[in-house]
Amino acid sequence: MAVAQLDPFTITINPGASDGDSQNPINPANMTVPTGATVIWLNKDSVYHQIVSGTSDKGPTNIFYGDFFGPNESFNVTFDTAGVFDYYDPIWTNIKGKIVATSENNTGLSTNNIGSDSNQPPNNQAPVQNDISNTASDVGSTIQTQPQAGIIGENPPVQTLDQQQQQPVQDQPVQSLDNQAPIQNENTQPQAGIIGENPPVQTLDQQQQQPVQDQPVQPIQQQFQIPQHGDIDSFKATGTIHSYIVTPASPWNATGDWTLIVEDGEVINFITNMAWFNGTTGHTHDFLNLESSSDIELPADNIVTIDGEMDVASNGLVTWDEVESSINIGGGGRTITINVDHDETDHHFAGQPIIGTVNSLTPCSDSPGPSMEILPTCS
């Protein structure tokens, strides 16, 4: 018997990858794997990262869409179907690459053959087990066949299907596969017919229906649905903050939530509540009273940047007011990035962005629209 294990493939996000000038932010960027393999993105950088399918210029394809993962954490995807999958980091777009999953590539498969002597066929017989092994190796196990009973070197008599089925079971001993139960699958029925005849070859779909031994499956995260729309000037969005900032003294983690309401091209409300911790101490920050510098319009791809000024509060008190700021909703409406002026906040945020995810984004209106349309209210 042979047991195949699909080893995971690792892509490393290198230290300093968040620097746009980095010459080697990720290694390797491109990778070819067999179907069923798991690819792991390991974060060795000092900030949070996110990996989604798609490209930075066209946005996410939502084949997979990972959460943010911090330093020394990882994100993984199992590629069960063949294809070419682009990926990128919506915040640090210099981190990008391509995964090619192919059923014809056996890279990463390791097999341990047991009892290989029993795989030798009697004289003048076709090596049936080789055909089965080549087919089954794609699904993580090899089916071993036993030589036929009889005089060594003599071809056994040819039996019809009815004759085979009428014989008692004890006259046809079957070697068990390490006491494993037989596979109950309509695509893997025992072969019948003339000994030495090649068994039918399974299709790729049939192979993929068989479970891979000890291979965990990474579920694809369910994403909220953004209503389709054209260019709109009224919408509301909510989400969460999970950010990471490295200062000369210590790293800081932030968690919180945010709300943005835009009506008729103006910000009606924007507020962000955050709790920051460094392992020993903590404090809070709030962003509020955002005033945009120009009219706002959300395009159909849900990517928009809002520039303006807002107040920054610390532990409930406004400590910096009318700070130049920018808010970017990116990743096809899935991520948010908040930047505040480095000097106007006395370098408090170390010149690094605050990042989070979008949990809801929908057009809104306080007035009914044409054709019986009534949208959620903006207020």
Side-chain angles (χ1 to χ4, degrees):
M1 181 181 70
V3 177
Q5 179 67 40
L6 289 170
D7 298 324
F9 296 79
T10 301
I11 296 174
T12 301
I13 301 176
N14 293 323
S18 53
D19 182 354
D21 296 328
S22 174
Q23 299 298 313
N24 187 30
I26 189 168
N27 183 46
N30 304 320
M31 180 175 286
T32 299
V33 301
T35 52
T38 298
V39 175
I40 297 175
W41 284 265
L42 178 62
N43 185 5
K44 288 298 184 180
D45 199 7
S46 59
V47 302
Y48 274 72
H49 287 282
Q50 183 183 30
I51 297 297
V52 304
S53 62
T55 59
S56 58
D57 56 338
K58 296 182 179 180
T61 58
N62 293 329
I63 297 175
F64 54 89
Y65 200 101
D67 286 329
F68 287 95
F69 55 105
N72 296 318
E73 294 179 345
S74 62
F75 166 72
N76 61 284
V77 175
T78 298
F79 293 87
D80 289 323
T81 58
V84 179
F85 305 90
D86 292 306
Y87 71 87
Y88 71 107
D89 185 329
I91 304 301
W92 317 101
T93 54
N94 60 319
I95 296 175
K96 57 186 177 180
K98 189 187 306 288
I99 304 297
V100 179
T102 172
S103 60
E104 298 178 356
N105 190 336
N106 290 329
T107 302
L109 292 174
S110 58
T111 59
N112 297 318
N113 293 311
I114 302 175
S116 59
D117 290 342
S118 64
N119 289 335
Q120 297 299 325
N123 293 341
N124 302 323
Q125 291 190 23
V128 179
Q129 71 280 3
N130 289 341
D131 291 333
I132 299 177
S133 300
N134 292 338
T135 302
S137 64
D138 289 337
V139 297
S141 63
T142 298
I143 303 175
Q144 179 181 351
T145 59
Q146 297 298 322
Q148 303 297 323
I151 301 175
I152 298 176
E154 180 181 15
N155 290 337
V158 176
Q159 295 177 327
T160 66
L161 178 59
D162 292 337
Q163 290 173 328
Q164 295 178 8
Q165 293 174 340
Q166 291 173 2
Q167 289 182 350
V169 175
Q170 62 271 19
D171 292 339
Q172 293 180 334
V174 178
Q175 179 69 29
S176 64
L177 301 178
D178 290 345
N179 298 323
Q180 296 181 9
I183 300 174
Q184 299 299 325
N185 188 306
E186 62 182 2
N187 296 323
T188 56
Q189 296 299 320
Q191 304 300 320
I194 300 175
I195 299 174
E197 181 179 55
N198 290 340
V201 178
Q202 293 176 333
T203 66
L204 177 60
D205 290 338
Q206 291 172 327
Q207 295 176 18
Q208 292 173 345
Q209 290 173 3
Q210 299 184 24
V212 178
Q213 181 177 353
D214 298 330
Q215 179 62 37
V217 176
Q218 175 71 17
I220 297 177
Q221 181 182 3
Q222 297 295 323
Q223 299 296 320
F224 71 93
Q225 297 297 318
I226 301 175
Q228 294 184 353
H229 59 82
D231 295 343
I232 56 175
D233 61 3
S234 298
F235 62 93
K236 58 183 180 181
T238 62
T240 55
I241 296 293
H242 31 73
S243 199
Y244 187 84
I245 283 179
V246 178
T247 69
S250 63
W252 289 80
N253 285 287
T255 58
D257 51 54
W258 60 271
T259 299
L260 170 65
I261 300 177
V262 175
E263 186 173 13
D264 297 328
E266 296 183 0
V267 176
I268 302 303
N269 183 36
F270 177 71
I271 186 167
T272 301
N273 303 305
M274 298 169 289
W276 291 81
F277 297 95
N278 69 347
T280 58
T281 185
H283 57 268
T284 66
H285 283 301
D286 304 305
F287 297 149
L288 61 161
N289 303 326
L290 173 65
E291 294 186 6
S292 58
S293 58
S294 60
D295 291 341
I296 303 166
E297 189 173 72
L298 180 69
D301 62 5
N302 299 305
I303 299 175
V304 63
T305 298
I306 302 172
D307 295 320
E309 295 180 345
M310 66 182 178
D311 298 336
V312 179
S314 305
N315 290 333
L317 299 175
V318 174
T319 46
W320 300 283
D321 59 356
E322 299 180 353
V323 175
E324 288 190 12
S325 309
S326 70
I327 300 168
N328 174 263
I329 294 179
R334 305 289 180 176
T335 63
I336 186 170
T337 306
I338 305 171
N339 286 279
V340 295
D341 187 89
H342 186 47
D343 294 326
E344 293 183 16
T345 53
D346 298 325
H347 305 177
H348 184 75
F349 298 96
Q352 299 171 41
I354 292 89
I355 57 180
T357 54
V358 180
N359 295 337
S360 69
L361 193 160
T362 182
C364 66
S365 176
D366 290 336
S367 301
S371 303
M372 297 295 291
E373 179 186 62
I374 295 182
L375 296 173
T377 58
C378 296
S379 58

